[in-house]
Amino acid sequence: MLLDNKVVIVTGASRGIGRAIAVACAKEGAHVVLNYWGDNDRSYGRLSAVEEVVDEIETLGRRVIAVEGNVAQRKTGLELVKQAVDAFGHVDVLASNAGICPFHTFLDMPASVYEATVGVNLNGAFLGIKEALDVMRQTASGSPSDGAIINIASVSALKGSPGMPAYSAGKGGLRLFTKAIAVDFARRGYRIRVNSIYPGLIDTPLTKPLFESRLKPGSEESLEDARSRILEQYPIGRIGRPDEIASVVRFLAGDDSSYMVGAELVVDGGLTAA
Ligand code: NAP
């Protein structure tokens, strides 16, 4: 198997793309550390969502732990790495996936929302990598495989998204942050490869507010109509599935991508090629 006995940390793994990444890695033999936000909104079902992922991975015969915490806070990165080492002794792969996407144009964007968005989508990746690097270097030094850090960005890092300038700022920053540390770590001989992925529209709970934001005010349009209008921009003619991102993460996590450093893989059904 591609990731036999590797330990993979996935942030934002209670649903959507993060869940698919965790399951895809477990199917390739990895043990998994799941992170999720788990704020106070239990009625939203967040806790039960991560429990489902735990069950799914255990059913695959892999070991798994779940660690609650906001990636925008330094203590979450510390806790994730501590619990990973306590449970498994090493860390091979970090997939920085946790993200939020509030919809506000620049003019109606409260500064607090801007800061929170960049805090999760950009600073969250920085903080996780900062805490995991030493352990990942030790792991790589005793392994025939390199460690891998995979940052989940977005097509919003490649083209301007007027309804989400904070999201574009965070993801655009994540793009070049990824390249900067990828080059640095490679030149230092750390044996930790860092790469990033740019999903287009993927069918997860994150997209509902996007469709809502595109409803024409006062019209009888349904969410389905708004969704169809957005999808017209996609040459492939459909929304993506979380597993179509997870399979690319799996590739970047394993030795099949051993010569890839600072690469950006666009997985968007042709949106940015058109
Ligand atoms: P999602 O379905 O909304 O899931 C987001 C996940 O991130 C959940 O597990 C959530 O945990 C967690 N999370 C949110 N804020 C967090 C925080 N501060 N700390 C820790 N965990 C946090 O989103 P998704 O669509 O799977 O998106 C995953 C990543 O892909 C994001 O970085 C997103 O920007 C990116 N992306 C998505 C799309 C798309 O169309 N879906 C396109 C491009 C890029 P809780 O459940 O506990 O809140």
Side-chain angles (χ1 to χ4, degrees):
M1 284 194 278
L2 279 178
L3 304 175
D4 209 14
N5 284 320
K6 287 187 188 286
V7 175
V8 178
I9 297 178
V10 186
T11 67
S14 60
R15 54 197 162 96
I17 294 170
R19 176 180 180 154
I21 293 170
V23 171
C25 291
K27 283 183 177 163
E28 287 297 337
H31 306 300
V32 189
V33 180
L34 308 168
N35 155 260
Y36 62 110
W37 191 349
D39 68 4
N40 293 324
D41 190 2
R42 301 294 180 208
S43 60
Y44 191 70
R46 283 178 168 140
L47 195 60
S48 60
V50 83
E51 282 167 354
E52 267 181 35
V53 191
V54 167
D55 284 351
E56 189 172 356
I57 291 174
E58 283 176 348
T59 307
L60 291 166
R62 306 288 162 240
R63 292 169 60 206
V64 57
I65 58 172
V67 182
E68 182 180 294
N70 178 357
V71 294
Q73 296 178 343
R74 186 170 175 219
K75 65 179 182 190
T76 299
L78 281 166
E79 193 56 29
L80 266 174
V81 175
K82 181 184 177 306
Q83 291 209 32
V85 172
D86 287 352
F88 304 114
H90 60 109
V91 177
D92 301 87
V93 177
L94 169 60
S96 297
N97 165 78
I100 55 172
C101 186
F103 291 89
H104 295 279
T105 60
F106 176 80
L107 294 181
D108 63 12
M109 167 86 61
S112 58
V113 173
Y114 180 89
E115 285 167 5
T117 307
V118 174
V120 175
N121 295 352
L122 175 58
N123 304 351
F126 166 81
L127 292 169
I129 295 166
K130 192 84 181 157
E131 300 309 333
L133 185 62
D134 285 349
V135 172
M136 291 186 69
R137 283 185 63 199
Q138 281 165 25
T139 306
S141 71
S143 161
S145 300
D146 289 346
I149 293 172
I150 301 129
N151 291 332
I152 307 299
S154 164
V155 287
S156 298
L158 306 175
K159 59 202 291 275
S161 303
M164 29 183 173
Y167 188 74
S168 286
K171 295 296 188 178
L174 185 61
R175 174 174 177 241
L176 285 180
F177 167 69
T178 303
K179 286 176 188 266
I181 63 171
V183 172
D184 188 22
F185 295 176
R187 288 203 172 131
R188 288 177 193 272
Y190 279 5
R191 298 193 50 228
I192 309 282
R193 297 180 298 101
V194 193
N195 294 287
S196 53
I197 297 179
Y198 299 76
L201 196 64
I202 307 297
D203 197 3
T204 75
L206 183 104
T207 57
K208 190 164 170 255
L210 169 65
F211 303 141
E212 285 167 351
S213 76
R214 300 294 169 87
L215 284 175
K216 291 180 180 142
S219 86
E220 302 262 297
E221 215 184 25
S222 67
L223 270 189
E224 199 45 50
D225 296 331
R227 178 183 153 118
S228 302
R229 253 189 309 111
I230 292 169
L231 285 174
E232 279 167 15
Q233 300 164 33
Y234 282 75
I236 202 168
R238 65 169 174 84
I239 196 165
R241 300 185 310 270
D243 65 277
E244 292 176 310
I245 304 302
S247 56
V248 181
V249 173
R250 188 177 53 201
F251 165 67
L252 288 175
D255 292 341
D256 285 350
S257 58
S258 53
Y259 202 54
M260 296 185 74
V261 170
E264 44 186 50
L265 296 188
V266 179
V267 189
D268 69 350
L271 176 75
T272 53

